[in-house]
Coordinates of all heavy atoms in Angstrom, one line a residue:
M4 N 9.9 10.5 -9.3 CA 10.6 10.4 -8.0 C 10.5 9.1 -7.4 O 9.5 8.5 -7.2 CB 10.1 11.5 -7.1 CG 10.8 11.5 -5.7 SD 10.2 12.8 -4.7 CE 9.9 12.0 -3.2
A5 N 11.6 8.4 -7.2 CA 11.6 7.1 -6.6 C 11.7 7.2 -5.1 O 12.4 8.1 -4.5 CB 12.8 6.3 -7.1
A6 N 11.0 6.3 -4.4 CA 11.0 6.3 -2.9 C 12.3 5.7 -2.5 O 12.9 4.8 -3.1 CB 9.9 5.5 -2.4
D7 N 12.8 6.2 -1.4 CA 14.0 5.7 -0.8 C 13.6 4.5 0.1 O 12.9 4.6 1.0 CB 14.7 6.8 0.1 CG 15.9 6.3 0.9 OD1 16.3 5.1 0.6 OD2 16.4 7.1 1.7
T8 N 14.1 3.3 -0.3 CA 13.7 2.1 0.4 C 14.8 1.7 1.4 O 14.7 0.6 2.0 CB 13.4 0.9 -0.5 OG1 14.6 0.7 -1.3 CG2 12.3 1.3 -1.4
T9 N 15.8 2.5 1.6 CA 16.9 2.1 2.5 C 16.6 2.4 3.9 O 17.3 1.9 4.8 CB 18.2 2.8 2.1 OG1 18.0 4.2 2.3 CG2 18.6 2.5 0.7
G10 N 15.6 3.2 4.2 CA 15.2 3.6 5.6 C 16.0 4.8 6.1 O 15.9 5.1 7.2
T11 N 16.7 5.5 5.2 CA 17.3 6.7 5.6 C 17.0 7.9 4.7 O 16.5 7.7 3.6 CB 18.9 6.6 5.6 OG1 19.3 6.3 4.2 CG2 19.3 5.5 6.5
S12 N 17.2 9.1 5.1 CA 17.0 10.2 4.3 C 18.0 11.3 4.8 O 18.3 11.4 5.9 CB 15.6 10.8 4.6 OG 15.4 12.0 3.9
S13 N 18.5 12.1 3.8 CA 19.5 13.1 4.2 C 18.9 14.5 4.3 O 19.6 15.4 4.7 CB 20.6 13.1 3.1 OG 20.0 13.4 1.9
A14 N 17.6 14.7 4.0 CA 17.0 16.0 4.0 C 16.3 16.2 5.3 O 15.9 15.3 6.0 CB 16.1 16.2 2.9
G15 N 16.0 17.5 5.6 CA 15.2 17.9 6.8 C 16.0 18.2 8.0 O 17.1 17.6 8.2
T16 N 15.5 19.1 8.8 CA 16.3 19.5 9.9 C 15.5 19.3 11.2 O 16.0 19.4 12.3 CB 16.8 21.0 9.9 OG1 15.6 21.8 9.7 CG2 17.7 21.2 8.7
S17 N 14.2 19.0 11.1 CA 13.3 18.9 12.2 C 13.2 17.4 12.6 O 13.1 16.6 11.7 CB 12.0 19.4 12.0 OG 12.1 20.8 11.7
G18 N 13.2 17.1 13.8 CA 13.1 15.7 14.3 C 11.6 15.2 14.3 O 10.7 16.0 14.4
A19 N 11.4 13.9 14.3 CA 10.1 13.4 14.4 C 9.6 13.6 15.8 O 8.4 13.7 16.0 CB 10.1 11.9 14.0
G20 N 10.4 13.5 16.7 CA 10.1 13.7 18.1 C 10.4 15.1 18.5 O 11.2 15.8 17.8
T21 N 9.9 15.6 19.6 CA 10.2 16.9 20.1 C 11.7 17.1 20.5 O 12.2 18.2 20.6 CB 9.3 17.3 21.2 OG1 9.4 16.4 22.3 CG2 7.9 17.4 20.7
D22 N 12.3 15.9 20.8 CA 13.7 16.0 21.2 C 14.7 15.8 20.1 O 15.9 15.7 20.3 CB 14.0 14.9 22.3 CG 13.7 13.5 21.8 OD1 13.3 13.4 20.6 OD2 13.9 12.6 22.6
G23 N 14.2 15.8 18.8 CA 15.1 15.7 17.7 C 15.5 14.2 17.3 O 16.3 14.0 16.4
T24 N 15.0 13.3 18.0 CA 15.3 11.9 17.7 C 14.5 11.4 16.5 O 13.5 12.1 16.1 CB 15.1 10.9 18.9 OG1 13.7 11.0 19.3 CG2 16.0 11.3 20.1
G25 N 14.8 10.3 16.0 CA 14.0 9.7 14.9 C 12.7 9.1 15.4 O 12.3 9.2 16.5
A26 N 12.0 8.4 14.4 CA 10.7 7.9 14.7 C 10.7 6.9 15.8 O 9.7 6.8 16.5 CB 10.2 7.2 13.4
D27 N 11.8 6.2 16.0 CA 11.8 5.2 17.1 C 12.4 5.7 18.4 O 12.6 5.0 19.3 CB 12.5 3.9 16.7 CG 14.0 4.2 16.3 OD1 14.4 5.3 16.4 OD2 14.6 3.2 15.9
G28 N 12.7 7.0 18.4 CA 13.3 7.6 19.6 C 14.7 7.4 19.8 O 15.3 7.8 20.8
T29 N 15.4 6.7 18.9 CA 16.8 6.3 19.1 C 17.7 7.2 18.3 O 18.9 7.1 18.4 CB 17.0 4.8 18.7 OG1 16.8 4.7 17.3 CG2 16.2 3.9 19.5
G30 N 17.2 7.9 17.3 CA 18.0 8.7 16.4 C 18.4 7.9 15.2 O 19.2 8.4 14.4
A31 N 18.0 6.6 15.1 CA 18.4 5.8 14.0 C 17.8 6.3 12.7 O 18.4 6.3 11.6 CB 17.9 4.4 14.2
E32 N 16.6 6.9 12.7 CA 15.9 7.5 11.6 C 16.5 8.9 11.4 O 16.4 9.7 12.4 CB 14.4 7.5 11.8 CG 13.7 8.3 10.7 CD 13.6 7.7 9.4 OE1 13.7 6.5 9.3 OE2 13.5 8.4 8.4
T33 N 17.0 9.2 10.3 CA 17.5 10.6 10.0 C 16.2 11.5 10.2 O 15.2 11.2 9.6 CB 18.1 10.8 8.7 OG1 19.2 9.8 8.6 CG2 18.6 12.2 8.4
A34 N 16.4 12.6 10.9 CA 15.2 13.5 11.2 C 14.7 14.0 9.9 O 15.4 14.6 9.1 CB 15.7 14.6 12.1
I35 N 13.4 13.8 9.6 CA 12.7 14.4 8.5 C 11.4 15.1 8.9 O 10.9 14.7 9.9 CB 12.5 13.4 7.4 CG1 11.5 12.3 7.8 CG2 13.7 12.8 6.8 CD1 11.1 11.3 6.7
G36 N 11.0 16.0 8.2 CA 9.8 16.8 8.5 C 8.5 16.0 8.1 O 8.6 15.0 7.4
Y37 N 7.4 16.5 8.6 CA 6.1 15.8 8.4 C 5.8 15.7 6.9 O 5.5 14.7 6.3 CB 5.0 16.5 9.1 CG 3.6 16.0 8.7 CD1 3.2 14.8 9.2 CD2 2.9 16.7 7.8 CE1 1.9 14.3 8.8 CE2 1.6 16.2 7.4 CZ 1.2 15.0 7.9 OH 0.0 14.5 7.5
E38 N 6.0 16.9 6.2 CA 5.6 16.9 4.8 C 6.4 16.0 3.9 O 6.0 15.3 3.0 CB 5.7 18.4 4.2 CG 4.6 19.3 4.8 CD 4.9 19.8 6.2 OE1 6.0 19.6 6.7 OE2 4.0 20.5 6.7
Q39 N 7.7 15.9 4.2 CA 8.6 15.0 3.5 C 8.3 13.6 3.7 O 8.2 12.8 2.8 CB 10.1 15.3 3.8 CG 11.0 14.4 3.0 CD 12.5 14.6 3.4 OE1 12.8 15.5 4.1 NE2 13.3 13.7 2.9
A40 N 8.0 13.2 5.0 CA 7.6 11.9 5.3 C 6.3 11.5 4.6 O 6.1 10.4 4.1 CB 7.5 11.7 6.8
R41 N 5.3 12.4 4.7 CA 4.0 12.2 4.0 C 4.2 12.0 2.5 O 3.6 11.0 2.0 CB 3.1 13.4 4.3 CG 1.7 13.2 3.7 CD 1.0 14.5 3.5 NE 1.8 15.4 2.7 CZ 1.9 16.7 2.8 NH1 1.2 17.3 3.7 NH2 2.7 17.4 2.0
D42 N 4.9 12.9 1.9 CA 5.1 12.7 0.4 C 5.8 11.4 0.1 O 5.4 10.8 -0.9 CB 5.9 13.9 -0.1 CG 5.1 15.2 0.0 OD1 3.9 15.2 0.2 OD2 5.8 16.3 -0.2
E43 N 6.8 11.1 0.8 CA 7.5 9.8 0.5 C 6.6 8.6 0.8 O 6.6 7.6 0.0 CB 8.8 9.7 1.4 CG 9.6 8.5 1.0 CD 10.9 8.4 1.7 OE1 11.4 9.3 2.3 OE2 11.5 7.2 1.7
L44 N 5.8 8.7 1.8 CA 4.8 7.6 2.1 C 3.8 7.5 1.0 O 3.5 6.4 0.5 CB 4.1 7.9 3.4 CG 3.0 6.9 3.9 CD1 3.6 5.5 4.0 CD2 2.4 7.3 5.2
I45 N 3.4 8.6 0.4 CA 2.4 8.5 -0.7 C 3.1 7.8 -1.9 O 2.5 7.0 -2.6 CB 2.0 10.0 -1.1 CG1 1.1 10.5 0.0 CG2 1.3 10.0 -2.5 CD1 0.8 12.0 -0.2
E46 N 4.4 8.1 -2.1 CA 5.1 7.5 -3.2 C 5.3 6.0 -3.0 O 5.2 5.2 -3.9 CB 6.5 8.2 -3.4 CG 7.3 7.6 -4.5 CD 6.8 7.7 -5.9 OE1 5.9 8.5 -6.1 OE2 7.3 6.9 -6.8
V47 N 5.6 5.6 -1.7 CA 5.7 4.2 -1.4 C 4.4 3.5 -1.7 O 4.4 2.4 -2.3 CB 6.2 4.0 0.1 CG1 6.0 2.6 0.6 CG2 7.6 4.5 0.3
V48 N 3.3 4.0 -1.2 CA 2.0 3.4 -1.4 C 1.7 3.3 -2.9 O 1.2 2.3 -3.4 CB 0.9 4.2 -0.7 CG1 -0.5 3.7 -1.1 CG2 1.1 4.1 0.8
R49 N 2.0 4.3 -3.7 CA 1.8 4.3 -5.1 C 2.6 3.2 -5.8 O 2.0 2.4 -6.6 CB 2.2 5.7 -5.8 CG 1.8 5.8 -7.3 CD 2.6 6.9 -8.0 NE 4.0 6.7 -8.0 CZ 4.7 5.8 -8.7 NH1 4.0 5.0 -9.5 NH2 6.0 5.7 -8.7
R50 N 3.8 3.0 -5.4 CA 4.6 2.0 -6.0 C 4.1 0.6 -5.6 O 4.1 -0.3 -6.4 CB 6.1 2.1 -5.5 CG 6.8 3.3 -6.2 CD 8.2 3.4 -5.9 NE 9.0 2.2 -6.3 CZ 10.2 1.9 -5.9 NH1 10.8 2.7 -5.0 NH2 10.8 0.9 -6.4
L51 N 3.7 0.4 -4.3 CA 3.1 -0.9 -3.9 C 1.9 -1.2 -4.7 O 1.6 -2.3 -5.1 CB 2.9 -0.9 -2.4 CG 4.1 -1.0 -1.5 CD1 3.8 -0.7 -0.1 CD2 4.7 -2.4 -1.7
E52 N 1.0 -0.2 -4.8 CA -0.3 -0.4 -5.5 C -0.1 -0.7 -7.0 O -0.8 -1.4 -7.6 CB -1.2 0.8 -5.3 CG -1.8 0.9 -3.9 CD -2.6 2.1 -3.7 OE1 -2.5 3.1 -4.5 OE2 -3.4 2.1 -2.7
A53 N 1.0 -0.1 -7.6 CA 1.3 -0.3 -9.0 C 1.7 -1.7 -9.3 O 1.6 -2.2 -10.4 CB 2.3 0.7 -9.5
G54 N 2.3 -2.3 -8.3 CA 2.8 -3.7 -8.5 C 4.1 -3.7 -9.4 O 4.7 -2.6 -9.6
G55 N 4.5 -4.8 -9.9 CA 5.6 -5.0 -10.7 C 7.0 -5.0 -10.0 O 8.0 -4.9 -10.6
T56 N 6.9 -5.1 -8.7 CA 8.1 -5.2 -7.9 C 8.3 -6.6 -7.4 O 7.3 -7.3 -7.3 CB 8.1 -4.2 -6.7 OG1 7.0 -4.5 -5.9 CG2 8.0 -2.8 -7.1
T57 N 9.5 -6.9 -7.1 CA 9.8 -8.3 -6.6 C 9.3 -8.3 -5.1 O 9.0 -7.3 -4.5 CB 11.3 -8.6 -6.6 OG1 12.0 -7.7 -5.6 CG2 11.9 -8.4 -8.0
L58 N 9.2 -9.5 -4.6 CA 8.8 -9.7 -3.2 C 9.7 -8.9 -2.3 O 9.3 -8.3 -1.4 CB 8.8 -11.2 -2.9 CG 8.4 -11.5 -1.4 CD1 7.0 -11.0 -1.1 CD2 8.5 -13.0 -1.2
E59 N 11.0 -9.1 -2.5 CA 12.0 -8.4 -1.7 C 11.8 -6.9 -1.7 O 11.8 -6.2 -0.7 CB 13.4 -8.8 -2.1 CG 14.5 -8.3 -1.1 CD 14.3 -9.0 0.3 OE1 13.9 -10.1 0.4 OE2 14.6 -8.3 1.3
E60 N 11.6 -6.3 -2.9 CA 11.4 -4.9 -3.1 C 10.1 -4.5 -2.4 O 10.0 -3.4 -1.7 CB 11.3 -4.5 -4.6 CG 12.7 -4.6 -5.3 CD 12.5 -4.5 -6.8 OE1 11.5 -4.8 -7.3 OE2 13.5 -4.0 -7.4
S61 N 9.0 -5.3 -2.6 CA 7.8 -5.0 -1.9 C 7.9 -5.0 -0.4 O 7.3 -4.1 0.3 CB 6.7 -6.0 -2.3 OG 6.4 -5.9 -3.7
L62 N 8.6 -5.9 0.1 CA 8.8 -6.0 1.6 C 9.6 -4.7 2.1 O 9.3 -4.1 3.1 CB 9.5 -7.2 2.0 CG 8.7 -8.5 1.9 CD1 9.6 -9.7 2.2 CD2 7.5 -8.5 2.9
A63 N 10.6 -4.3 1.3 CA 11.4 -3.2 1.7 C 10.5 -1.9 1.6 O 10.6 -1.0 2.5 CB 12.6 -3.0 0.8
L64 N 9.7 -1.8 0.6 CA 8.8 -0.7 0.5 C 7.8 -0.7 1.7 O 7.5 0.4 2.3 CB 8.0 -0.7 -0.8 CG 8.8 -0.3 -2.1 CD1 8.1 -0.7 -3.3 CD2 9.1 1.2 -2.0
W65 N 7.2 -1.8 2.0 CA 6.3 -1.9 3.1 C 7.0 -1.5 4.4 O 6.4 -0.7 5.2 CB 5.8 -3.4 3.3 CG 4.8 -3.5 4.4 CD1 5.1 -3.8 5.7 CD2 3.4 -3.3 4.3 NE1 4.0 -3.8 6.4 CE2 2.9 -3.5 5.6 CE3 2.5 -3.0 3.3 CZ2 1.6 -3.4 5.9 CZ3 1.2 -3.0 3.6 CH2 0.7 -3.2 4.9
E66 N 8.2 -2.0 4.7 CA 8.9 -1.6 5.9 C 9.1 -0.1 5.9 O 9.0 0.6 7.0 CB 10.2 -2.4 6.0 CG 9.9 -3.8 6.3 CD 11.2 -4.7 6.2 OE1 12.2 -4.2 5.6 OE2 11.2 -5.9 6.6
R67 N 9.6 0.5 4.8 CA 9.8 1.9 4.7 C 8.5 2.7 5.0 O 8.5 3.7 5.7 CB 10.4 2.3 3.4 CG 10.7 3.8 3.2 CD 11.7 4.2 4.2 NE 12.0 5.7 4.1 CZ 12.5 6.5 5.0 NH1 12.8 6.0 6.2 NH2 12.7 7.7 4.8
G68 N 7.4 2.2 4.4 CA 6.1 2.8 4.6 C 5.7 2.8 6.1 O 5.2 3.8 6.6
E69 N 6.0 1.7 6.8 CA 5.7 1.7 8.2 C 6.5 2.7 9.0 O 6.0 3.4 9.9 CB 6.0 0.2 8.8 CG 5.0 -0.8 8.3 CD 3.6 -0.6 8.9 OE1 3.5 -0.1 10.0 OE2 2.6 -1.0 8.2
E70 N 7.8 2.8 8.7 CA 8.7 3.8 9.3 C 8.1 5.2 9.1 O 8.1 6.0 10.0 CB 10.1 3.7 8.8 CG 10.8 2.4 9.1 CD 12.1 2.3 8.4 OE1 12.6 3.3 7.7 OE2 12.7 1.2 8.5
L71 N 7.8 5.5 7.8 CA 7.3 6.8 7.5 C 5.9 7.1 8.2 O 5.7 8.3 8.6 CB 7.1 7.0 6.0 CG 8.4 7.0 5.2 CD1 8.2 6.7 3.7 CD2 9.2 8.2 5.4
A72 N 5.1 6.1 8.3 CA 3.8 6.3 9.0 C 4.1 6.7 10.5 O 3.4 7.5 11.0 CB 2.9 5.1 8.9
K73 N 5.1 6.0 11.1 CA 5.4 6.3 12.5 C 5.9 7.8 12.6 O 5.5 8.5 13.5 CB 6.5 5.4 13.0 CG 6.0 4.0 13.3 CD 7.1 3.1 13.8 CE 6.7 1.7 13.9 NZ 7.8 0.8 14.3
V74 N 6.7 8.2 11.6 CA 7.2 9.6 11.6 C 6.0 10.6 11.6 O 5.9 11.5 12.4 CB 8.2 9.8 10.5 CG1 8.5 11.3 10.3 CG2 9.5 9.0 10.7
C75 N 5.1 10.3 10.6 CA 4.0 11.2 10.5 C 3.1 11.2 11.7 O 2.7 12.2 12.2 CB 3.1 10.7 9.3 SG 3.9 11.0 7.7
R76 N 2.9 10.0 12.3 CA 2.1 9.9 13.5 C 2.7 10.7 14.7 O 2.0 11.4 15.4 CB 1.9 8.4 13.9 CG 0.9 8.2 15.0 CD 0.7 6.7 15.3 NE 0.5 5.9 14.1 CZ 1.3 5.0 13.6 NH1 2.4 4.7 14.3 NH2 1.0 4.3 12.5
R77 N 4.0 10.6 14.8 CA 4.7 11.4 15.9 C 4.6 12.9 15.7 O 4.3 13.6 16.6 CB 6.2 11.0 16.0 CG 6.3 9.6 16.5 CD 7.4 9.5 17.5 NE 7.4 8.1 18.0 CZ 8.3 7.6 18.8 NH1 9.3 8.4 19.1 NH2 8.2 6.4 19.2
W78 N 4.7 13.3 14.4 CA 4.6 14.8 14.1 C 3.1 15.2 14.5 O 2.9 16.2 15.1 CB 4.8 15.0 12.7 CG 6.3 15.3 12.4 CD1 7.2 14.5 11.7 CD2 7.1 16.5 12.7 NE1 8.4 15.0 11.7 CE2 8.4 16.3 12.2 CE3 6.7 17.6 13.4 CZ2 9.4 17.2 12.4 CZ3 7.7 18.6 13.5 CH2 9.0 18.4 13.0
L79 N 2.1 14.4 14.1 CA 0.7 14.8 14.3 C 0.4 14.8 15.8 O -0.3 15.6 16.3 CB -0.2 13.9 13.6 CG -0.1 14.0 12.0 CD1 -1.0 12.9 11.4 CD2 -0.6 15.4 11.6
E80 N 1.0 13.8 16.5 CA 0.8 13.7 18.0 C 1.4 14.9 18.7 O 0.8 15.5 19.6 CB 1.3 12.4 18.6 CG 0.5 11.2 18.2 CD 1.2 9.9 18.6 OE1 2.4 9.9 19.0 OE2 0.6 8.8 18.4
G81 N 2.6 15.3 18.2 CA 3.3 16.5 18.7 C 2.5 17.8 18.5 O 2.3 18.7 19.3
A82 N 1.9 17.9 17.3 CA 1.1 19.0 16.9 C -0.2 19.1 17.8 O -0.5 20.1 18.3 CB 0.7 19.0 15.4
R83 N -0.8 17.9 18.0 CA -2.0 17.9 18.9 C -1.6 18.3 20.3 O -2.4 19.0 20.9 CB -2.6 16.5 18.8 CG -3.6 16.2 19.9 CD -4.8 17.1 19.9 NE -5.5 17.2 18.7 CZ -6.4 18.2 18.4 NH1 -6.7 19.1 19.3 NH2 -7.0 18.2 17.3
A84 N -0.5 17.8 20.8 CA -0.1 18.2 22.2 C 0.1 19.7 22.3 O -0.3 20.3 23.3 CB 1.1 17.4 22.6
R85 N 0.8 20.3 21.2 CA 1.0 21.7 21.3 C -0.3 22.5 21.2 O -0.5 23.5 21.9 CB 1.9 22.1 20.1 CG 3.3 21.7 20.3 CD 4.2 22.0 19.1 NE 4.2 23.4 18.8 CZ 4.8 24.0 17.8 NH1 5.4 23.2 16.8 NH2 4.8 25.3 17.6
L86 N -1.3 22.1 20.4 CA -2.6 22.7 20.3 C -3.3 22.6 21.6 O -3.9 23.6 22.1 CB -3.4 22.1 19.2 CG -3.0 22.5 17.8 CD1 -3.8 21.6 16.8 CD2 -3.2 23.9 17.5
D87 N -3.3 21.4 22.2 CA -3.9 21.2 23.5 C -3.3 22.1 24.6 O -4.0 22.7 25.4 CB -3.9 19.8 23.9 CG -4.8 18.9 23.1 OD1 -5.7 19.4 22.4 OD2 -4.6 17.6 23.2
A88 N -2.0 22.2 24.6 CA -1.3 23.1 25.6 C -1.7 24.6 25.3 O -2.0 25.3 26.3 CB 0.2 22.9 25.5
A89 N -1.7 25.0 24.1 CA -2.1 26.4 23.8 C -3.5 26.7 24.2 O -3.8 27.7 24.8 CB -1.9 26.7 22.3
L90 N -4.4 25.7 23.9 CA -5.8 25.9 24.3 C -6.0 25.9 25.9 O -6.8 26.6 26.4 CB -6.7 24.8 23.7 CG -6.9 25.0 22.2 CD1 -7.6 23.7 21.6 CD2 -7.6 26.2 21.8
A91 N -5.2 25.1 26.5 CA -5.3 25.0 28.0 C -4.8 26.3 28.6 O -5.3 26.7 29.7 CB -4.5 23.8 28.5
E92 N -3.8 26.9 28.0 CA -3.3 28.2 28.5 C -4.4 29.3 28.4 O -4.5 30.2 29.2 CB -2.1 28.6 27.8 CG -0.9 27.9 28.1 CD 0.4 28.3 27.3 OE1 0.3 29.3 26.7 OE2 1.3 27.5 27.3
Q93 N -5.2 29.2 27.3 CA -6.2 30.2 27.1 C -7.4 30.0 28.0 O -8.1 30.9 28.4 CB -6.7 30.2 25.6 CG -5.7 30.7 24.6 CD -6.1 30.6 23.2 OE1 -7.2 29.9 22.9 NE2 -5.4 31.2 22.3
D94 N -7.7 28.7 28.3 CA -8.9 28.4 29.1 C -8.5 27.3 30.1 O -8.7 26.1 29.8 CB -10.0 27.9 28.2 CG -11.3 27.6 28.9 OD1 -11.4 28.0 30.1 OD2 -12.2 27.0 28.3
P95 N -7.9 27.7 31.2 CA -7.4 26.7 32.2 C -8.5 25.7 32.6 O -8.1 24.6 33.0 CB -7.0 27.6 33.4 CG -6.7 28.9 32.8 CD -7.7 29.0 31.7
G96 N -9.7 26.0 32.6 CA -10.8 25.1 33.1 C -11.2 24.1 32.0 O -12.0 23.2 32.2
R97 N -10.6 24.2 30.8 CA -11.0 23.3 29.7 C -10.7 21.9 29.9 O -11.4 21.0 29.6 CB -10.2 23.8 28.4 CG -10.6 23.0 27.2 CD -9.8 23.6 26.0 NE -10.1 22.9 24.8 CZ -9.5 21.8 24.3 NH1 -8.5 21.3 25.1 NH2 -9.8 21.2 23.2
D98 N -9.6 21.6 30.6 CA -9.2 20.2 30.8 C -10.1 19.5 31.8 O -10.1 18.3 31.8 CB -7.7 20.1 31.3 CG -6.7 20.4 30.2 OD1 -7.1 20.3 29.0 OD2 -5.6 20.9 30.6
E99 N -10.8 20.2 32.6 CA -11.6 19.6 33.7 C -12.9 19.2 33.1 O -13.7 18.5 33.8 CB -11.8 20.6 34.8 CG -10.5 21.0 35.5 CD -10.6 22.1 36.4 OE1 -11.8 22.5 36.7 OE2 -9.6 22.6 36.9
Q100 N -13.3 19.5 31.9 CA -14.6 19.2 31.4 C -14.6 17.8 30.7 O -13.7 17.2 30.4 CB -15.0 20.2 30.3 CG -15.2 21.5 30.9 CD -15.5 22.6 29.8 OE1 -15.6 22.3 28.6 NE2 -15.7 23.8 30.2

């Protein structure tokens, strides 16, 4: 499976942000799920570590990796916020500690 180095993806229906926007909040990144972004990021890293790409290809892979890392980070931050909210509902005094 080759990594998409164009910075776009056509799959996925969930946004990186809770409002359905892309990784940068502008909607420029086609909305992809955490698992897809993670899997593509793994492939990008594998290709970079393997070498054999031109400088231009390596830079494109690096940039795509940075975009994918932002998507993953936003998904994880959203998950953490949801968990914190759920825990706060169960134990209202938890945030005060």
Side-chain angles (χ1 to χ4, degrees):
M4 178 175 131
D7 176 6
T8 59
T9 62
T11 62
S12 174
S13 60
T16 57
S17 298
T21 56
D22 61 356
T24 60
D27 61 1
T29 65
E32 171 71 27
T33 303
I35 61 174
Y37 171 79
E38 290 81 5
Q39 182 182 348
R41 180 202 60 210
D42 292 347
E43 189 178 339
L44 180 56
I45 290 168
E46 178 64 16
V47 166
V48 170
R49 186 197 63 74
R50 288 184 62 196
L51 284 168
E52 288 177 342
T56 57
T57 66
L58 177 60
E59 192 62 34
E60 291 169 333
S61 294
L62 288 172
L64 285 168
W65 180 272
E66 290 169 347
R67 181 62 179 157
E69 290 291 330
E70 292 171 8
L71 292 164
K73 287 179 186 177
V74 170
C75 289
R76 191 174 312 113
R77 292 223 175 172
W78 274 107
L79 293 172
E80 289 169 353
R83 168 52 59 194
R85 288 177 62 187
L86 288 172
D87 288 346
L90 291 172
E92 287 177 13
Q93 290 178 349
D94 184 10
R97 181 178 181 272
D98 289 336
E99 297 172 8
Q100 296 177 0

